[in-house]
Amino acid sequence: MGRYLDLVEAEMRRDPEMREGQAHYVALCRGWPHLHEQIAGTERDCFSVDRRLPAFLAWVEEALAAEQRAAGGSEADDRPRAPTPPLAQPNGGATVR
């Protein structure tokens, strides 16, 4: 969680006009894009609505902790991971609607 909070601080320094919810959302997007995809557009998405920040933070804390447990790492090892490539699509990757 420490690395995540460092990214939030960096975003707020980079753009002082950014709201807190936006800084948190952008930090997650930059550091953990695979997690960002899971929260974008949900009731925890705090980019547009700062009052969603507590739910967002609770979710992020649990998601980062779950990644640590799955990786067998420690709390100190919370560096962003490279996004995993998408699984091969049997239809060649075409979107079916």
Side-chain angles (χ1 to χ4, degrees):
M1 192 72 177
R3 172 76 176 130
Y4 167 78
L5 293 174
D6 290 344
L7 288 174
V8 172
E9 284 184 37
E11 287 301 322
M12 293 189 81
R13 279 193 309 271
R14 186 183 62 77
D15 183 357
E17 299 297 316
M18 188 178 288
R19 290 185 349 273
E20 188 175 4
Q22 290 173 319
H24 279 270
Y25 186 90
V26 171
L28 185 68
C29 183
R30 290 184 195 272
W32 295 268
H34 62 289
L35 293 180
H36 162 262
E37 292 170 2
Q38 295 177 35
I39 204 157
T42 69
E43 69 281 354
R44 294 181 185 105
D45 184 336
C46 63
F47 185 82
S48 298
V49 182
D50 281 349
R51 72 176 176 269
R52 294 179 180 164
L53 193 53
F56 176 88
L57 288 172
W59 184 88
V60 167
E61 186 171 14
E62 179 53 38
L64 292 177
E67 282 198 350
Q68 288 303 309
R69 289 189 300 272
S74 68
E75 288 287 324
D77 186 24
D78 62 354
R79 295 175 299 242
R81 295 188 182 4
T84 55
L87 298 174
Q89 301 281 326
N91 61 359
T95 303
V96 178
R97 295 181 191 248

